Amino acid sequence: MAHDSEIKKVLIVGAGMSGLMLGILLTHAGIDFDIYERSAVIKPIGSTMAFDSRILAVFEQLGMLEDALNISFPCRGLNIYDNNLQAMGGFDLSDYKNRTGYDMILFSRPQMHQLFVSKIPKDKLHLGKKIESIEDNGEEVTIHCADGSSASGDILVGADGAYSGVRMSLFKAMAEKGLLPEADKEDLSVGHICMVGTTKPLEDNTYKALNDNFSHFERVIMQGTPHSWSTATVPGNRVCWLMTTQLESTSTNATRFNNAEWGPEANQSMIEEVRDYPCALGGTMGDLIDLTPPEMISRVFLEEKLFESWHHGRVVLIGDACHKMLPSGGAGAINALQDAVILANCIYDITSATPENIHEAFADYRSQRYPKAKYQIDKSKVMATIQYGQTWKDRAIRNIIFNWIPKPIQTELFLKDTTYRPQVIFLPNIENRGTVALEPQQPCKKYIQKQSEEQAN
């Protein structure tokens, strides 16, 4: 696609889903880019994830929806049990597709990540590139890598996670100018630790749930302990699992966890502690762990933080680099991808790569996304309480939600999020096939200009 923007090159740091999605979007926009990832190889690790109507319309715009559905199962609901496997409550999603136009789909993170990677031209993805320093001279931005290489572009996007090196460099530059808010100097809050994994392909008779063509999504809360765990069946006769431990304090020094990213950091003591816990699919969690290749098990900390500063000069942040959410609301990855969509729209709208125009585009991006991210962070805290909170207050809130709030009201509250569904402005729009009324898409200047020209003719 030809594009008249003076943006000649976008540098993206981080090959997680948000960075890859931005690269895919820029490919469709006809804007050149390169992605720089510090890891030398793409590691196939992680557990279950979910996408829904809030982002699947974009997949349809990009021609990726069928690919995503092929590696996913629809989810009909979440069931929550106590440690005796007695039902405590849950969420019914049986009418979700009718209301929103799409199923909620569950999948293994490694497979979806590989789908994203497959959509990026091989010469645009550079591995083993640890960023040592960043220079922004006003006319261009340059990254310098540990291997001695460097690259320059009009825009630098930090998509490098919760402990973003790009953010650290950006904040240092802002602090030297007296521009960094006090809130952005505070550490991330770490309230939970979890271990995740995905089993090898299993025999059909290993678990009865594997015979179904939809995902069985179950969560167990161990009363009297800080532990809870979940399981989800995904295509390929595999089970994704997650063990969560609630920490006593959420005021944790983030520097202790600056290497706590997805990685094969198997914690044997935690495995032994949870081995005999009952699994909602049958047997014990130890059975699932034993069916999981060691390299597919990783231990991560669950942080949260909403940063105030998302951009400065020619540098901008997306995803966990500017808003880290607890995974309990299933919104972290979706919001990161929505960041990529809105940022791509704003970049597409730049017709002259002046510092003023770039600042205006970045400010527009933040103004659209910050309120949405704040809402989702607040909601993820509530969902964390429902799904694995263990304090007396958490238990009380869970009891009220499941036993005192009528199911129709629960459903409407759940569907409230689906009204916000941003799409790519430079690709054909996907119509709303559900019954939920959507928020209007915020148009870009080019869209407004095109409408004016059509009306004039």
Side-chain angles (χ1 to χ4, degrees), residues 164-220:
S164 165
V166 173
R167 186 185 68 239
M168 293 178 186
S169 178
L170 177 68
F171 282 10
K172 180 180 179 182
M174 293 180 68
E176 291 173 351
K177 298 176 184 178
L179 300 176
L180 188 66
E182 287 299 318
D184 286 346
K185 299 176 183 178
E186 299 174 359
D187 291 330
L188 284 80
S189 173
V190 182
H192 301 81
I193 183 174
C194 75
M195 182 173 292
V196 301
T198 301
T199 69
K200 64 184 179 181
L202 306 178
E203 298 294 333
D204 290 344
N205 59 359
T206 308
Y207 296 102
K208 182 179 178 181
L210 292 174
N211 296 319
D212 294 326
N213 61 356
F214 60 90
S215 182
H216 288 260
F217 189 20
E218 325 283 357
R219 187 158 195 89
V220 180

Side-chain angles (χ1 to χ4, degrees), residues 163 168 187-188 190 252-260:
Y163 294 95
M168 293 178 186
D187 291 330
L188 284 80
V190 182
T252 310
N253 188 340
T255 59
R256 292 172 55 193
F257 307 116
N258 58 5
N259 291 318

Side-chain angles (χ1 to χ4, degrees), residues 70-89:
N70 286 340
I71 58 173
S72 309
F73 274 157
C75 178
R76 305 305 185 207
L78 167 63
N79 301 309
I80 299 180
Y81 306 92
D82 63 19
N83 47 285
N84 294 316
L85 299 186
Q86 297 298 307
M88 299 173 63

Side-chain angles (χ1 to χ4, degrees), residues 44-113:
I45 51 180
S47 186
T48 187
M49 292 180 66
F51 286 158
D52 56 34
S53 60
R54 293 172 289 175
I55 196 61
L56 289 181
V58 172
F59 277 66
E60 191 168 356
Q61 285 185 294
L62 295 170
M64 294 173 56
L65 181 58
E66 185 175 350
D67 292 333
L69 296 180
N70 286 340
I71 58 173
S72 309
F73 274 157
C75 178
R76 305 305 185 207
L78 167 63
N79 301 309
I80 299 180
Y81 306 92
D82 63 19
N83 47 285
N84 294 316
L85 299 186
Q86 297 298 307
M88 299 173 63
F91 299 99
D92 181 6
L93 302 177
S94 58
D95 198 37
Y96 188 86
K97 184 174 183 178
N98 179 56
R99 299 293 300 275
T100 71
Y102 298 90
D103 277 313
M104 177 178 287
I105 59 172
L106 265 64
F107 50 86
S108 71
R109 180 185 183 275
Q111 268 199 298
M112 187 62 71
H113 188 260

